[in-house]
Amino acid sequence: MTSNISLRLLAIGYHPEIMQVLHRLMNSHSGWKGDIATSLEEATSLITNNTYDGILLAVGVTPEDETFIRTQVEITAPDTKIIRHYGGGSGLLENEIRTTFENLTTK
Amino acid sequence: MTRYIFHKEDSRHHEFNEWLDSKKTFSFADYYNPKRMSFGALRVFNDDTVQATKGFGRHPHDNMEIISIPLEGSLIHKDNLGNEKVVKKGEIQLMSTGSGVFHSEYNHEQDKATRFLQIWIYPAQLNNAPAYSQVAINEAKSQHQFSTIVAPEEGPHTARIQQDAWLSIGHFGAGETFRYDIRKKDNGAYVYLISGNIEIDGHNLSAGDALGISDTHSFSGTIKSQDTTILITDVPMNLEK
């Protein structure tokens, strides 16, 4: 269960209001600590200066942006999981995180 | 070789509180079952009953095709695109949430519950402009045959979805048979029985049961009882997300 461990997450997306909701949802979840970035520049800075377990690619992030982010992550923190987030809120978020980390945390 | 996934009604995740009774086919919100994640591009299939005047407050969505089909009662929807609509039984609503939408969704009935299907399908492309459509089901055309209610092309009784997906509904009587041709290569069909009883390739379905069928071009069924209503969701099975 992810609720028993600590996950450091970064969500990147370009819709400020939706990102505020994601920020609140991530940090209201026991065991998660979430940051948000609403631009590629902000994301680059956060990725460079922090270590994340998972990076959520959220609203507005294009396939080209994704390639750029993946390249950066491979250089700075190759163990970080990249997760595409759909839906904009609570419906799929927990499932996306658990699908990515459940096997790791139950080992 | 044809593949089948049978979801019995009582195998759905059931949770309820004082205003919402929700049966979830696939993992959603707090419900997590790795074996119940999706049927191809069909990611969410919830059968929700909302008590009078209650509902979901303002919340966001993005990059999902969200379809609501009232089975009893009506919903009132408000969104930041300027839509304020009542969606009642016999109609469907489709939100292409794309680059982001905020909306609220309440039971519009003052004295009775509203039951509706909430269906989420992954879009073909990310971050498109949001769109809203609402259409009336062509009830005459859906008698004894399937009538398309969602398709990639808009029509007078067809909501436009931004995916190679089709939803069709049909009302049948006992003893009738049907054949369904899957709309596109590599698509599969998720057959949900709203009411009645049917048999498809040896699988007997009662109300609330569903059968996912893939790796085939078509399938046939036999109607086992009066007042049978079938909803078919025809979606890509192989997604590059």
Side-chain angles (χ1 to χ4, degrees):
Chain A
M1 295 286 292
T2 54
S3 58
N4 295 328
I5 61 132
S6 177
L7 285 178
R8 185 91 193 270
L9 303 169
L10 170 65
I12 306 168
Y14 308 149
H15 190 305
E17 201 178 357
I18 291 180
M19 295 311 293
Q20 287 301 324
V21 173
L22 265 182
H23 194 217
R24 176 176 55 76
L25 289 170
M26 288 190 295
N27 287 301
S28 65
H29 193 288
S30 171
W32 299 357
K33 184 178 185 318
D35 295 331
I36 56 169
T38 54
S39 69
L40 265 185
E41 294 73 22
E42 196 179 358
T44 299
S45 173
L46 286 166
I47 290 168
T48 304
N49 294 307
N50 298 277
T51 300
Y52 293 103
D53 300 295
I55 295 179
L56 294 153
L57 306 177
V59 56
V61 175
T62 65
E64 294 74 27
D65 296 343
E66 178 175 347
T67 301
F68 177 78
I69 293 162
R70 284 185 183 278
T71 302
Q72 288 211 318
V73 169
E74 272 178 29
I75 295 167
T76 58
D79 291 337
T80 300
K81 307 296 180 192
I82 307 283
I83 306 155
R84 174 60 77 168
H85 171 63
Y86 289 85
S90 57
L92 303 187
L93 180 64
E94 169 131 6
N95 274 258
E96 291 164 342
I97 300 296
R98 291 183 70 169
T99 297
T100 304
F101 291 103
E102 191 94 330
N103 289 338
L104 299 177
T105 58
T106 54
K107 278 179 184 171
Chain B
M1 188 172 172
T2 306
R3 289 158 55 101
Y4 302 97
I5 296 172
F6 193 16
H7 292 153
K8 290 288 292 178
E9 198 277 343
D10 62 7
S11 72
R12 293 170 200 278
H13 178 74
H14 188 192
E15 60 187 41
F16 55 93
N17 57 38
E18 64 271 17
W19 67 271
L20 175 65
D21 188 324
S22 182
K23 295 177 180 175
K24 298 174 169 62
T25 302
F26 303 109
S27 298
F28 187 78
D30 295 336
Y31 166 52
Y32 178 66
N33 178 349
K35 294 179 181 174
R36 288 285 191 98
M37 295 307 292
S38 73
F39 178 76
L42 173 60
R43 177 62 185 83
V44 173
F45 199 110
N46 294 347
D47 183 335
D48 288 345
T49 300
V50 180
Q51 293 307 308
T53 73
K54 305 294 185 184
F56 305 89
R58 187 176 186 271
H59 62 280
H61 291 296
D62 69 65
N63 290 312
M64 269 289 166
E65 303 293 301
I66 298 180
I67 299 151
S68 297
I69 306 177
L71 301 178
E72 297 161 24
S74 61
L75 296 165
I76 181 161
H77 160 102
K78 294 181 188 177
D79 66 40
N80 66 332
L81 306 175
N83 297 299
E84 183 170 342
K85 306 277 189 181
V86 174
V87 190
K88 60 183 185 296
K89 183 181 178 183
E91 297 178 326
I92 63 163
Q93 177 201 72
L94 196 160
M95 280 197 304
S96 294
T97 61
S99 60
V101 171
F102 276 78
H103 83 135
S104 64
E105 191 172 42
Y106 285 89
N107 182 355
H108 188 55
E109 306 292 332
Q110 297 302 305
D111 54 3
K112 64 177 183 180
T114 283
R115 178 182 166 215
F116 72 109
L117 299 177
Q118 184 182 172
I119 297 167
W120 292 20
I121 295 173
Y122 287 111
Q125 291 190 323
L126 291 171
N127 305 317
N128 286 343
Y132 178 94
S133 59
Q134 184 175 329
V135 296
I137 296 170
N138 187 335
E139 292 295 342
K141 200 175 176 184
S142 61
Q143 299 296 325
H144 314 294
Q145 61 184 341
F146 286 104
S147 172
T148 305
I149 56 176
V150 168
E153 307 83 26
E154 193 172 355
H157 297 284
T158 310
R160 178 176 176 265
I161 190 167
Q162 296 184 23
Q163 177 56 279
D164 289 326
W166 290 261
L167 266 68
S168 303
I169 197 164
H171 308 292
F172 300 90
E176 292 188 72
T177 60
F178 68 86
R179 172 191 162 103
Y180 183 83
D181 294 318
I182 291 176
R183 301 294 190 103
K184 192 178 178 194
K185 186 176 182 296
D186 298 328
N187 269 25
Y190 192 76
V191 181
Y192 178 79
L193 196 59
I194 293 174
S195 62
N197 293 276
I198 62 173
E199 185 265 328
I200 299 173
D201 295 346
H203 300 278
N204 290 298
L205 280 72
S206 300
D209 293 347
L211 185 66
I213 305 169
S214 55
D215 292 341
T216 188
H217 303 296
S218 65
F219 59 90
S220 302
T222 303
I223 311 300
K224 299 287 190 183
S225 65
Q226 287 299 111
D227 301 322
T228 289
T229 301
I230 305 167
L231 176 69
I232 297 181
T233 305
D234 187 326
V235 286
M237 296 303 292
N238 302 315
L239 279 186
E240 287 186 24
K241 290 192 291 165

